[in-house]
């Protein structure tokens, strides 16, 4: 069966510091990978998605970037965090079938920028 | 009854009653839809999906209805239990893309 991991689970970082969040998927090959952000009491905002190694699509221009150095690894980064970067960051994967298919989420990382 | 909270609409139901959660999706070209359940502090959990060539799909205690004419999706939960208390989101897959657009969510509160 497939599993998706995210770490760290929680993070408190000062404004201006760098960020690196990691997501890995097990039990599948060549998944589509996604980063979402969720503000408190809000829906999910798609930040980035990737259909293969080195392929990143950005949905929202911002202070963040994403990379996919390996097939089942997806990293969210920032060089300098802003207060507005606080939120719940969720990684997700899908098989990438045409016409849409099930998308599964990781446990999330709670980021607080102080 | 249904009320609007600070950010999320809230649906309160008695334990044992049926719940109906509604979602209006945005794009008439969307042809695949998912319902998620999210408990506090956790990632969304896949519940059930439906494709646009169907009007109804049933799972265990849940039914999803799709009305393409008015771009409306609903999730029905039978015999609602305390463990069903959570925020529920619908998501649509934009045809020809790998992107999913999420609704704003509805908080379901189950009253004992």
């Amino acid at each position: 069966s497939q599993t998706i991991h995210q770490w760290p689970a929680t993070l408190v970082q000062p404004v201006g510091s760098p960020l690196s969040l990691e997501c890995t998927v097990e039990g599948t090959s060549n998944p589509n990978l996604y980063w979402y952000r969720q503000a408190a009491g809000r829906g999910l905002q798609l930040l980035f998605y990737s259909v293969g190694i080195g392929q990143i699509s950005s949905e929202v221009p911002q202070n963040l970037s994403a990379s996919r150095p390996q097939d089942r690894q997806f990293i969210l980064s920032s060089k300098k965090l802003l207060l507005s970067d606080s939120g719940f960051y969720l990684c997700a994967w899908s098989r990438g079938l045409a016409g849409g298919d099930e998308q599964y989420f990781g446990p999330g990382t709670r980021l607080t920028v102080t | 009854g249904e009320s609007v909270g600070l950010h999320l609409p809230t649906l309160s139901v008695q334990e044992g009653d049926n719940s109906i959660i509604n979602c209006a999706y945005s794009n008439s070209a969307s042809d695949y839809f998912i319902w998620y359940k999210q408990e506090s502090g956790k990632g969304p959990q896949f519940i059930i999906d439906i494709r646009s060539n169907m009007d109804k799909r049933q799972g265990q205690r849940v039914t999803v209805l799709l009305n393409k004419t008015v771009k409306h999706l609903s999730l029905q939960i039978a015999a609602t239990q305390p463990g069903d208390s959570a925020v529920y989101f619908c998501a649509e897959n934009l045809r020809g893309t790998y992107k999913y657009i999420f609704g704003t969510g509805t908080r379901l509160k189950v009253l004992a």
Side-chain angles (χ1 to χ4, degrees), chain B residues 22-81:
Chain B
N22 297 303
C23 176
Y25 62 92
S26 58
N27 196 318
S28 58
S30 295
D31 54 9
Y32 176 72
F33 305 87
I34 304 175
W35 276 104
Y36 287 95
K37 171 187 180 183
Q38 186 177 28
E39 296 175 296
S40 181
K42 297 184 179 180
Q45 176 187 357
F46 177 96
I47 301 174
I48 192 169
D49 60 356
I50 189 168
R51 295 196 180 275
S52 59
N53 60 352
M54 302 174 69
D55 297 323
K56 179 180 180 180
R57 189 161 188 229
Q58 288 184 290
Q60 187 177 8
R61 271 202 315 120
V62 295
T63 301
V64 55
L65 299 177
L66 175 62
N67 185 329
K68 296 179 287 294
T69 302
V70 295
K71 294 190 290 185
H72 184 267
L73 200 64
S74 68
L75 177 71
Q76 300 178 3
I77 304 174
T80 310
Q81 303 168 0

